[in-house]
Amino acid sequence: MRFCPLFSGSSGNCIFIEGGGVRVLVDAGLAGRTIINALAGINVSPDTIDAIVVTHEHSDHIKGVGVLSRRYSIPVYANSATWDAMSPLIGEVAPSCVRIFETDRDFFIRELNVLPFATPHDAAESVGYCFNHKGAQVSTLTDVGHINARLLSAVQESDIILLESNHDVEMLKAGSYPYTLKRRILGDNGHLSNDAAGEALVKLYKCGLRNAVLGHLSHENNLEPLALETVRQALRNEDIFDEEFSLCVAHRDRAAGMFEIE
């Protein structure tokens, strides 16, 4: 399998995943042309994309969904609640390209197995995803207000995970956001902090996870080196040494590199 975070952040999200000859975008939250250019940068033609799978209906996850689907006849997968919420925002999608799944039930896109699992976020019915091909698994888990045992169980067999590390709590509290927005981000259906990401990865390490990419960093309330060091220190505090766990950060404005999973 191959995995490349093209963009990850509050200004737009789009993740490329390939397995079993199937090419998928997780979300398309930027202008269509921006995503097309990013795909060209990793030598992928947009007309070879087999599906766009949507996590939830917020604009930073769906901005380019309709454009790409219409231009390249790409099927779009989402649960019914997300379809209802995003349909007025993405424009018309051809009926032949509408795919509705049931959250917490896996399905196949040809040879690629996809499990959409429910996530705690202030959206209609947000999900994360596990993608599996011949035992190799890639998971994406962003836009989550908190981590619980159910989420850990969903992703614990992953070979690599894109995990939200949205904000530093002290930066957020001291920042310029209005109180209501701060409360939303810090709430159980908001976004995951650096500290919470670190705690989650410690638990997942004990289940066998050895590779993670931190994603969906806030431009205003986080820094890439800060997120990386906070999470790395959480691992070190549990005697999980740097050479035992591969950790990097997905960028807001450019691809983070291609990861190969066997």
Side-chain angles (χ1 to χ4, degrees):
M1 293 185 68
R2 298 200 302 159
F3 159 68
C4 179
L6 298 175
F7 303 96
S8 186
S10 55
S11 56
N13 297 271
C14 187
I15 313 300
F16 171 81
I17 291 173
E18 182 176 9
V22 178
R23 290 178 164 181
V24 174
L25 296 182
V26 181
D27 294 329
L30 300 95
R33 175 53 58 185
T34 301
I35 294 172
I36 291 167
N37 290 340
L39 288 170
I42 59 170
N43 297 313
V44 172
S45 173
D47 59 10
T48 66
I49 299 298
D50 296 291
I52 301 171
V53 298
V54 179
T55 59
H56 63 293
E57 74 276 9
H58 291 167
S59 62
D60 57 323
H61 294 262
I62 65 166
K63 183 177 181 179
V65 168
V67 171
L68 292 174
S69 180
R70 286 187 291 274
R71 182 167 181 179
Y72 298 103
S73 299
I74 302 173
V76 178
Y77 291 72
N79 55 48
S80 59
T82 298
W83 264 111
D84 289 345
M86 75 176 178
S87 290
L89 306 174
I90 64 173
E92 184 177 359
V93 172
S96 61
C97 289
V98 174
R99 304 284 192 277
I100 299 175
F101 59 69
E102 185 176 337
T103 301
D104 294 319
R105 297 193 68 174
D106 68 332
F107 60 91
F108 280 87
I109 305 174
R110 298 203 310 272
E111 298 298 318
L112 183 65
N113 182 255
V114 184
L115 172 64
F117 55 91
T119 54
H121 193 52
D122 55 353
E125 191 179 322
S126 63
V127 298
Y129 288 100
C130 296
F131 301 88
N132 193 295
H133 179 254
K134 293 186 176 178
Q137 182 166 301
V138 177
S139 298
T140 64
L141 181 54
T142 67
D143 298 80
V144 291
H146 67 280
I147 294 291
N148 53 38
R150 181 181 58 81
L151 293 176
L152 294 174
S153 177
V155 302
Q156 67 181 0
E157 296 183 3
S158 304
D159 294 288
I160 190 168
I161 183 172
L162 175 72
L163 178 67
E164 179 170 49
S165 191
N166 176 257
H167 60 275
D168 174 81
V169 172
E170 296 307 315
M171 283 184 69
L172 175 61
K173 289 181 176 179
S176 60
Y177 280 6
Y179 172 73
T180 53
L181 180 55
K182 292 180 182 180
R183 185 172 63 179
R184 170 189 169 256
I185 293 170
L186 291 168
D188 280 349
N189 293 314
H191 289 281
L192 207 64
S193 70
N194 296 338
D195 292 326
E199 292 173 8
L201 289 179
V202 167
K203 293 176 181 178
L204 288 170
Y205 174 86
K206 295 175 182 178
C207 296
L209 181 71
R210 294 296 182 269
N211 305 282
V213 181
L214 305 178
H216 213 292
L217 273 65
S218 168
H219 179 65
E220 294 80 6
N221 302 303
N222 212 348
L223 300 167
E224 288 190 9
L226 177 60
L228 191 61
E229 183 57 27
T230 300
V231 173
R232 181 62 81 184
Q233 191 58 52
L235 294 165
R236 292 170 183 154
N237 289 345
E238 297 296 322
D239 294 326
I240 303 168
F241 302 110
D242 296 7
E243 59 271 20
E244 296 179 282
F245 197 97
S246 174
L247 187 67
C248 64
V249 180
H251 309 300
R252 296 168 53 83
D253 58 352
R254 63 191 188 280
M258 186 70 74
F259 299 85
E260 304 277 349
I261 301 98
E262 297 182 358

